[in-house]
Amino acid sequence: MMKLLQGFWRFLGWLRGEKEESRSKPLLVREKPPSKRVKTKKAREDSKLPSKQKKAADKESKRQDKESLPRRISAPKCKSSKGSKTQVNRNKSGAIIRRKKQRVYLQIGLDFGTSATKVIYTQLGKRISRAICFDHNLPTYPDYCLPSLAAIDSQGNLLLGIEAARFLSRKNWDTGFQRFKVAVAGKHDRTFYDELTHENFNRYRRKHSLDSDFTPERLTAIYLAYAMHESRERISKLPEYGDTDIEMAFNICVPIDHIENNKVREAFERIFTWAEAIEKYWYEKQEQIDLLRVSFEFQDTRISKGDRRVFAVPEAVATMASYLVSLHKKPGLHAMIDIGAGTTDISICNLQLPSGQSKSYWYAAKNISRGTINIERKIASLIKKHKRNSLCTHQEIYQCLYKLNPNQSESRRLPVKDADIKSVVVEALEDLRNSEEYYKTWGCAYNHLRKQTEWEKVEIFVCGGGASLPGIKDVFARPWWKNLEVRYSVSKLPTPDDYDSGDGVAPFTRMAVAYGLSKPLPELEEYILPSDVGDHTPAPLPYLKLDHEEIYPK
């Protein structure tokens, strides 16, 4: 009877919507009576306390119970850059778990010029090659140029690059340490020697009481470490690399004839290793260092081939890179004329395209100690003739050559006429073309291919700071050999599609070498240097000598 009543009440509960609760309990299980609570001694004592004291005792008891339990660590919340709340992950020990930074590999092309250094970087796996803008707002250098200068201030501190240019901007145009790249080459081979460059270097060194240990090699290593560190700092601050681990490698240009000259090549290889060690130490310290003192510590550093991150690349090979990726490339003879501040690099090659793969045979290359410095010296003489004082600044020279400030007032314009400036420029270009070094370079190239008709179809590309000088096309369009009654095609290098001029709006004619240097060495096209190129003169046609009876048979 009791079981029947229990079943009836369960059925009524199901009708009232308590189906789930009835299913959770077995039908034939007898419910246990509620257990009696056993009061402890402390509970009996607490029950006798007044209500206020009882509440305080309960609160203290809960606090003690909470402290006896293992502590639970709650992660602090922080706001992300977008304002949304994010949570920092922690492991069981309570340490913050940070997301592993993505590692990216950058190839830095560093065009170390006699007047300015230009830098382009490429991220491996991506297509764009971007120029670095240094944002220095110097009146005598564009923002995409890092001045290749050094100076000593009134406190005896060594100034480099941007700071040196600011310090020297109001001083005589040829003061300070300049063209130390030329000084290094001339010290190890007299064919690259420039007397005025060496005299100015030693005069400025003695003026500031620097001993003979302050050599052009030491200053070049210090400057290259500064240029690499400045490039690293600029790139690391870019938004796309804010949360990445950057691995950098540097390619630095060296003229072909420097590479083929053992003494000069070894000198620059030691300087590159020296600069790499200084920059690595500077990067690891993460603070300003005394570069002159540190240079003595790393003077004899040696870096194994596998650990090396700074490499020398032939300058003309890097210049050719933009042409090889263009749709205008064609086989045949080409000449590269890179007019820089202190030197002009002339390189002649025969480009071959077997099965679509380019291969360049460099017939001759010469780094001539004639650059825009010769033009600057003549312009400085013109300015001094029209001025009462003998001081001629960098800014005045710069305005004459490139006319960067055409909107300045008439009272501030230089008294030198445009026609006089153009006359000086054309005269200097003619002197370069008529120089013995220029003709010898073409003559050496001809010895690799002694066929006159081939030399009637040479295409010449001009680049560097002097590529936009007036009259440059007319001067170099005339062939080097009077027997060639043609005019060469002279043009600027084509701008590749993957070149990004950056914020500095850098013209590609100034950045062509740095663009090629921003490509990893395995990606550069195959090339053969002059010392390894053989004789490409085609064999003469077969000559068959016939007698009279064979020509006129009976």
Side-chain angles (χ1 to χ4, degrees):
M1 188 66 180
M2 182 63 68
K3 291 181 181 179
L4 182 63
L5 289 174
Q6 286 179 355
F8 178 76
W9 287 112
R10 299 274 179 90
F11 177 74
L12 289 179
W14 179 79
L15 291 177
R16 293 174 183 172
E18 299 178 1
K19 181 179 179 181
E20 294 300 327
E21 182 180 355
S22 66
R23 285 185 177 180
S24 63
K25 297 180 182 180
L27 280 173
L28 303 178
V29 175
R30 180 179 296 177
E31 295 182 0
K32 295 181 180 180
S35 59
K36 295 182 179 180
R37 179 176 294 178
V38 181
K39 289 187 177 181
T40 62
K41 182 178 181 182
K42 184 176 183 302
R44 288 195 299 269
E45 291 176 356
D46 291 342
S47 62
K48 298 178 182 179
L49 294 174
S51 60
K52 289 185 178 181
Q53 294 181 3
K54 186 175 181 180
K55 288 180 181 180
D58 292 339
K59 189 174 181 181
E60 179 65 17
S61 176
K62 289 179 181 180
R63 187 186 66 79
Q64 292 177 358
D65 292 341
K66 189 176 181 180
E67 288 181 353
S68 63
L69 295 173
R71 182 174 296 178
R72 182 180 179 182
I73 300 175
S74 59
K77 293 182 179 180
C78 60
K79 290 186 178 180
S80 65
S81 58
K82 295 183 180 180
S84 60
K85 293 183 178 180
T86 58
Q87 193 168 0
V88 178
N89 296 326
R90 294 176 182 262
N91 58 17
K92 294 181 179 180
S93 62
I96 297 177
I97 302 174
R98 300 188 184 276
R99 184 168 60 89
K100 187 177 180 180
K101 289 186 177 182
Q102 178 188 2
R103 174 165 289 189
V104 295
Y105 296 90
L106 300 184
Q107 183 66 59
I108 315 298
L110 201 148
D111 179 10
F112 173 39
T114 52
S115 174
T117 298
K118 285 78 66 180
V119 184
I120 291 181
Y121 68 94
T122 302
Q123 181 177 334
L124 301 191
K126 293 190 176 181
R127 185 170 175 268
I128 298 299
S129 299
R130 183 173 289 111
I132 293 181
C133 179
F134 295 98
D135 295 320
H136 46 59
N137 296 320
L138 292 170
T140 54
Y141 290 88
D143 283 344
Y144 56 82
C145 288
L146 187 65
S148 301
L149 290 174
I152 306 295
D153 65 8
S154 55
Q155 285 78 35
N157 299 316
L158 177 63
L159 306 179
L160 297 167
I162 298 172
E163 292 183 354
R166 286 202 180 100
F167 179 75
L168 298 172
S169 61
R170 295 297 177 184
K171 299 185 182 297
N172 202 30
W173 72 280
D174 60 349
T175 191
F177 292 116
Q178 302 182 34
R179 298 177 289 280
F180 30 86
K181 173 184 177 181
V182 178
V184 171
K187 185 177 177 180
H188 294 273
D189 192 322
R190 295 291 298 182
T191 57
F192 306 112
Y193 184 80
D194 182 69
E195 186 175 356
L196 284 177
T197 298
H198 281 76
E199 287 181 359
N200 291 339
F201 184 94
N202 291 325
R203 187 189 307 115
Y204 194 76
R205 178 179 61 82
R206 289 192 298 266
K207 178 182 177 181
H208 293 278
S209 303
L210 293 171
D211 56 25
S212 58
D213 288 336
F214 192 86
T215 60
E217 292 90 340
R218 184 179 303 279
L219 180 56
T220 304
I222 291 173
Y223 174 81
L224 286 176
Y226 159 80
M228 289 189 286
H229 188 77
E230 190 72 19
S231 303
R232 184 189 295 274
E233 290 292 307
R234 298 279 175 177
I235 295 172
S236 300
K237 291 178 182 178
L238 295 175
E240 58 264 37
Y241 300 118
D243 193 27
T244 58
D245 184 14
I246 304 176
E247 185 78 20
M248 294 186 182
F250 295 86
N251 285 341
I252 305 178
C253 62
V254 179
I256 287 179
D257 53 346
H258 289 186
I259 289 179
E260 296 208 305
N261 185 304
N262 292 334
K263 292 182 179 179
V264 178
R265 185 192 71 244
E266 291 171 0
F268 276 104
E269 286 177 350
R270 287 195 301 268
I271 289 171
F272 292 169
T273 302
W274 196 355
E276 181 179 357
I278 295 173
E279 198 278 331
K280 183 180 179 182
Y281 174 79
W282 192 356
Y283 172 67
E284 291 173 351
K285 290 288 287 184
Q286 294 293 321
E287 61 184 17
Q288 289 297 323
I289 61 174
D290 185 350
L291 288 171
L292 187 57
R293 179 187 60 80
V294 171
S295 69
F296 286 93
E297 298 179 11
F298 295 97
Q299 182 169 346
D300 299 321
T301 301
R302 295 183 181 275
I303 301 176
S304 63
K305 190 174 181 179
D307 296 332
R308 197 179 303 163
R309 291 294 177 269
V310 178
F311 307 94
V313 177
E315 187 169 334
V317 174
T319 308
M320 194 75 169
S322 63
Y323 179 68
L324 296 178
V325 298
S326 71
L327 298 175
H328 305 287
K329 69 177 179 181
K330 57 184 179 181
L333 293 171
H334 299 76
M336 302 287 170
I337 301 179
D338 185 355
I339 303 178
T343 60
T344 296
D345 193 57
I346 300 176
S347 307
I348 303 165
C349 78
N350 188 357
L351 178 63
Q352 298 183 6
L353 303 173
S355 304
Q357 298 295 322
S358 62
K359 187 174 183 178
S360 54
Y361 293 88
W362 294 92
Y363 286 168
K366 182 65 177 175
N367 187 254
I368 303 174
S369 297
R370 293 171 180 263
T372 58
I373 180 63
N374 299 323
I375 300 174
E376 292 173 8
R377 287 168 180 164
K378 293 182 178 180
I379 291 177
S381 299
L382 282 176
I383 293 174
K384 289 178 181 179
K385 285 182 181 179
H386 293 83
K387 292 179 67 176
R388 294 180 180 178
N389 60 345
S390 60
L391 180 66
C392 176
T393 64
H394 283 275
Q395 189 169 357
E396 291 170 333
I397 299 288
Y398 194 73
Q399 289 174 12
C400 281
L401 279 176
Y402 303 105
K403 299 290 187 181
L404 291 186
N405 299 313
N407 297 323
Q408 61 184 339
S409 62
E410 291 292 333
S411 60
R412 293 186 59 193
R413 285 190 181 276
L414 295 172
V416 183
K417 297 180 180 179
D418 291 350
D420 294 338
I421 297 173
K422 185 175 180 179
S423 176
V424 167
V425 171
V426 173
E427 182 183 352
L429 292 175
E430 289 285 356
D431 290 343
L432 170 62
R433 185 197 167 279
N434 296 328
S435 64
E436 182 181 358
E437 299 96 328
Y438 183 83
Y439 278 95
K440 277 187 174 181
T441 306
W442 286 94
C444 291
Y446 179 80
N447 287 332
H448 291 281
L449 182 60
R450 294 184 299 276
K451 188 177 180 182
Q452 181 175 334
T453 54
E454 293 291 333
W455 293 95
E456 294 176 352
K457 301 172 289 185
V458 180
E459 189 167 5
I460 296 178
F461 293 109
V462 291
C463 59
S468 300
L469 291 174
I472 190 170
K473 291 185 178 181
D474 293 334
V475 170
F476 292 109
R478 302 198 309 272
W480 56 280
W481 190 12
K482 62 181 180 180
N483 291 353
L484 300 173
E485 298 178 356
V486 295
R487 288 184 67 84
Y488 288 153
S489 170
V490 181
S491 61
K492 297 179 180 179
L493 282 165
T495 303
D497 295 336
D498 60 348
Y499 170 66
D500 184 352
S501 62
D503 298 333
V505 195
F508 187 72
T509 53
R510 298 290 303 272
M511 309 298 290
V513 177
Y515 171 83
L517 295 171
S518 69
K519 307 301 180 184
L521 289 176
E523 292 185 13
L524 293 176
E525 301 291 340
E526 186 178 359
Y527 60 89
I528 309 296
L529 297 183
S531 60
D532 298 321
V533 175
D535 189 359
H536 287 182
T537 304
L541 294 175
Y543 175 70
L544 182 62
K545 188 175 181 179
L546 301 175
D547 58 15
H548 183 271
E549 293 181 355
E550 291 176 325
I551 298 175
Y552 302 102
K554 293 180 180 180

